[in-house]
Amino acid sequence: MTVLAKKDTLNSKKLINSLCLVEPKSFCMKIFIDSADIKEIEKYVSWGICDGVTTNPSICLKAGVQGGAEGMKQRQIEIARLISPQPLSVEVTTD
């Protein structure tokens, strides 16, 4: 597939959606941010390219989330409110 785009439109969801109109839908992909950092998520949401967020306990710890399971739960609620109506995927672990 050849993609031609102006430099100033590369970070635009409009461009991504227009590519989906050209190519079969099976070639379109969603972009999920793999983070628990609120400022990082806000940045990509503001660019209009965020289709959702994925996170897990390791990512939460790297982002500085404290308070154990309750702290992670609160951060996930904060992320869900920030990206609504886009999906939040949360991976969990057990012993």
Side-chain angles (χ1 to χ4, degrees), residues 2-27:
T2 303
V3 177
L4 301 174
K6 291 181 180 177
K7 189 175 182 181
D8 62 339
T9 62
L10 288 177
N11 66 356
S12 170
K13 190 153 189 167
K14 184 177 180 182
L15 171 64
I16 294 168
N17 288 338
S18 69
L19 294 174
C20 290
L21 296 175
V22 173
E23 295 294 327
K25 290 291 184 187
S26 62
F27 291 109

Side-chain angles (χ1 to χ4, degrees), residues 39-58:
K39 289 185 185 214
E40 182 178 46
I41 295 167
E42 286 174 334
K43 177 175 75 172
Y44 293 114
V45 167
S46 75
W47 288 4
I49 60 168
C50 173
D51 291 311
V53 174
T54 61
T55 192
N56 62 43
S58 296

Side-chain angles (χ1 to χ4, degrees), residues 49-95:
I49 60 168
C50 173
D51 291 311
V53 174
T54 61
T55 192
N56 62 43
S58 296
I59 292 171
C60 287
L61 292 174
K62 287 179 187 175
V65 176
Q66 298 178 354
E70 185 59 32
M72 289 184 211
K73 177 182 174 184
Q74 292 307 313
R75 178 61 58 96
Q76 293 156 5
I77 291 169
E78 187 177 0
I79 293 168
R81 287 183 178 143
L82 175 66
I83 66 169
S84 180
Q86 303 296 349
L88 170 62
S89 174
V90 180
E91 298 176 19
V92 295
T93 60
T94 61
D95 288 331

